[in-house]
Amino acid sequence: MLIDLIRDPAGLATMVAMLGVGAAGGAWAASRWCRRRARPARSTAPADFDRVTGLMSRARFEALMLERLAAAEREGRGICLIYAGLDGFRLVNDNHGHVFGDEVLRRTAEHLRELCGPDMPLCRVAGDEFAILADAPGHSDDALARRLVESFTETLKVGGQAVSVGLSVGIAKAPEHGGGARLLGMAAAAMRSVKRSGGGAHAMFDPQIEAQQREEFTIARELRQAIEKHELELVYQPKIDAQSLQVTAVEALLRWRHPTLGAVSPARFIPIAEKHGLIKAIGNWVLDKALAQAAEWRRAGLRMRVAINVSGYQMRQDEFAARLERGLKAHGLTPGRFTCEITESVAMEDTAVTRNAFSRLGEIGVHVSIDDFGTGHSNLSALRRLPAEELKIDRAFVSDMLHSEEARTIVLTILQMARALKLRVVAEGVETVAQRDLLVMLGCDELQGYLFARPMSARAIGIWASDASKTLTQTFRASLFKETVACHDPHPTRKAAQGGGN
Ligand code: C2E
Ligand code: CA
Ligand code: CA
């Protein structure tokens, strides 16, 4: 968090990301995991065993679970299922490859076995998820879950590399929550609820979680058809130059007009689309639509950039950059006039995959904006290497800025840092005149928010421009829309290579 930076007297230069891999040191290191030696994979393990970890297979675990549940019911005692998922495992795989990832899974299995003792049935359910059947009488499931989570706050050393993976744990109990094979799904649902709130904790199953999950599946199913049914739509919100009040850009924001639920917020359905493998299709639709709209506006003489939001999942797909490049060419658009907004947390994911994606965007020459800035762990040197031209201060800081000293300091720090890095700063979520005035006074370059304009249809943008001009500049001119001009070009060679405008 930037907040750490502000509290750090050594200032900006000491801002180092504590990202997954390589974050060794202090209390995080010196784990007893470090002393463990790697064990070779079981290449000829019987089908009853998991090939990677050597634990019993999921099928065997489920069969055993049903047997034990029946026995527990006969004996009138309870039984408990613990479902554990690694946090941050995808980053390990992205950064170090699958062979290394498999080694982490093997070490995790060994570690879980050590903590649970030799008798508790333990299996790898799938990917980085494990299940433990705790039916030893007298022990506390809660204490075991806590122990598991706590033990994963230490650094794991694999092949000389320090790896930080956390653990999210869900618990379901029979007979309280039901019985049979559904117990596994219930514990998994509890684990996912932990992940949703940031991971590294444990939670007991709650029937409400199941209801939420059902709703999520319904949304995912209907979202799958939303493109074909023409239920998706893009609306656009202007970004305004703080000095000239001209429109420098419009940001495309996705809307889903659901026939019965009404307008579903992208904040709700984008994470579901990501989780259920729908983000690629939706992201492609957004990209194609925004490129076509940008071309139409260009033809109409509106000279502002068009920005889209790019999800982390899109960034990790090779085809995204290729599609973007093809689309820009097909519409005859200058890459530097099209913006990709990428959240700070994705931008700071220092993995080979995201590094490669950013360098592809840099090669194409699109304008890159770091969204929700101030909410993630920023690493100054990583930020300097990114082909970014713009930082967007997260809405939360803008809304708190007038009554919170801390939020104001964060805004100021972002502005100072951006100046040092020659980046433009956009403040989003500007709702009041007081916020606007303070941001202008602090030297913010561009403003965006309900105070100026709400997100609106492409057609309404043209009409709004005409109305806005009456209040903002008195006369309507197409030149109300202007290019964003970087205060100092941070990437002169790249820009030179792009050549002139269209
Ligand atoms: P974001 O990129 O940070 O977008 C800003 C959000 O703040 C938008 O919400 C916008 O409507 C809202 N907003 C703008 N000005 C104000 C203001 O003055 N006050 C308040 N309270 N809110 C304001 P929206 O449209 O609901 O989008 C939410 C998030 O969904 C976006 O946050 C973005 O992360 C994501 N999203 C939207 N469209 C897309 C898309 O096409 N693709 C992807 N991957 N994500 C999208
Ligand atoms: Ca955005
Ligand atoms: Ca934002």
Side-chain angles (χ1 to χ4, degrees), residues 189-190 193 196 203-214:
S193 76
R196 273 196 297 276
M204 190 65 70
F205 172 76
D206 174 343
Q208 244 189 338
I209 295 175
E210 217 175 22
Q212 278 169 6
Q213 218 162 47
R214 262 200 305 275

Side-chain angles (χ1 to χ4, degrees), residues 130-274:
F130 296 82
I132 301 155
L133 192 64
D135 73 337
H139 77 260
S140 154
D141 319 315
D142 213 50
L144 175 60
R146 193 169 306 122
R147 232 176 37 240
L148 292 174
V149 172
E150 277 167 9
S151 75
F152 276 79
T153 53
E154 298 172 345
T155 303
L156 164 68
K157 268 208 168 160
V158 179
Q161 308 240 35
V163 182
S164 286
V165 279
L167 198 71
S168 292
V169 170
I171 310 171
K173 288 180 172 184
E176 289 96 315
H177 301 132
R182 282 187 62 219
L183 207 58
L184 197 64
M186 290 170 178
M191 186 276 286
R192 291 194 212 298
S193 76
V194 173
K195 286 212 174 226
R196 273 196 297 276
S197 26
H202 73 282
M204 190 65 70
F205 172 76
D206 174 343
Q208 244 189 338
I209 295 175
E210 217 175 22
Q212 278 169 6
Q213 218 162 47
R214 262 200 305 275
E215 189 191 283
E216 185 178 309
F217 277 111
T218 309
I219 289 186
R221 200 182 55 240
E222 295 179 346
L223 191 53
R224 219 173 274 278
Q225 300 158 2
I227 297 180
E228 288 157 33
K229 290 184 170 172
H230 304 288
E231 289 169 5
L232 294 184
E233 186 192 332
L234 283 184
V235 289
Y236 298 85
Q237 188 180 31
K239 295 182 194 174
I240 315 281
D241 185 285
Q243 296 303 323
S244 68
L245 298 181
Q246 287 178 300
V247 179
T248 56
V250 290
E251 176 184 2
L253 293 161
L254 191 54
R255 295 289 175 264
W256 178 17
R257 313 268 173 222
H258 188 279
T260 53
L261 298 175
V264 186
S265 160
R268 171 93 184 98
F269 71 81
I270 293 282
I272 296 177
E274 289 176 335

Side-chain angles (χ1 to χ4, degrees), residues 5 10 16 68 70-71 75 92 131 140-141 154 193 204 208 230 233 309 354 359 365 420 432 435 449 459 466 484 495:
L5 159 74
V16 176
R68 299 271 183 107
E75 292 158 23
V92 172
S140 154
D141 319 315
E154 298 172 345
S193 76
M204 190 65 70
Q208 244 189 338
H230 304 288
E233 186 192 332
N309 289 284
T354 39
S359 79
T432 67
Q435 288 168 348
R459 217 171 73 81
S466 138
T484 305
K495 288 284 158 58

Side-chain angles (χ1 to χ4, degrees), residues 251 309 341 343 370-373 392-395 428 448:
E251 176 184 2
N309 289 284
E341 292 193 6
T343 60
I370 310 298
D371 208 350
D372 301 344
F373 199 80
K392 287 187 84 174
I393 303 178
D394 190 68
R395 177 149 52 93
E428 64 175 19
Q448 191 182 21

